[in-house]
Amino acid sequence: LEEKDQDEDYDDTIDSRPMSASELLAQSMGGLSRPLKTRLSQVIMSLASQGGAVTGDGSGGAVQPGDDEDTSSSLNRLVAIYSVSGLLRFYCSAIEKALEKAQAENEVITESPLLTTCDECLAEAADCYVASLRAYGAMLGSHSLSSSQTERIWP
């Protein structure tokens, strides 16, 4: 008897109503947001690291002045972070335009978890880019100093 009362209270009109395009998009992309954020964060942090593995001399993977290969590798990572940031900016812009178009068509837009994820990852990528750029600048400074000292020794 109690089960019948609970069934009567249940309103199944919510389930039978067709979903709008924005609701369908939000639901389908909502499930994508968390794994996408996790993977993007992994990629960004991996690119931003300057080689944290401990080397045999205990230097912690730090770039030694005068090591052109490490300098080149750091520059490649910096360019990759910049590229990822640009791609995330494109995705944010494309999602925003799609949401604006849906709003113009009088569809109710709640919020887009995918846009939120892209915005958060873009902020993380921008922070890592700035930090990596500073580290690369410091590396170039020390590389420049070691090069000038080498030139003095070897005329």
Side-chain angles (χ1 to χ4, degrees):
L1 187 62
E2 287 180 27
E3 290 179 26
K4 188 174 182 179
D5 290 336
Q6 289 176 351
D7 289 340
E8 288 176 6
D9 292 337
Y10 179 72
D11 184 13
D12 62 63
T13 58
I14 295 173
D15 293 338
S16 64
R17 181 180 58 86
M19 295 177 75
S20 69
S22 61
E23 291 172 332
L24 184 62
L25 180 65
Q27 183 179 3
S28 61
M29 294 300 165
L32 177 70
S33 297
R34 186 173 179 193
L36 178 66
K37 182 176 182 178
T38 301
R39 184 63 182 136
L40 283 171
S41 293
Q42 287 174 346
V43 168
I44 291 166
M45 295 309 284
S46 172
L47 289 171
S49 71
Q50 292 295 320
V54 177
T55 59
D57 62 358
S59 65
V63 176
Q64 300 299 319
D67 193 349
D68 289 335
E69 186 176 317
D70 285 338
T71 303
S72 177
S73 174
S74 295
L75 178 61
N76 290 338
R77 290 179 185 180
L78 189 61
V79 169
I81 293 172
Y82 184 82
S83 297
V84 169
S85 298
L87 186 60
L88 286 168
R89 284 184 53 148
F90 168 76
Y91 285 150
C92 288
S93 175
I95 294 167
E96 284 173 350
K97 286 181 183 179
L99 292 174
E100 287 171 4
K101 184 176 179 182
Q103 283 178 336
E105 295 173 358
N106 296 327
E107 291 191 32
V108 177
I109 307 294
T110 53
E111 64 180 66
S112 172
L114 185 59
L115 179 60
T116 303
T117 295
C118 286
D119 280 338
E120 290 170 358
C121 289
L122 179 58
E124 181 181 356
D127 290 344
C128 287
Y129 177 76
V130 169
S132 295
L133 186 60
R134 286 185 179 144
Y136 183 71
M139 183 189 320
L140 286 179
S142 64
H143 183 69
S144 171
L145 288 176
S146 70
S147 295
S148 65
Q149 290 172 356
T150 306
E151 288 174 6
R152 288 185 204 146
I153 296 172
W154 299 97

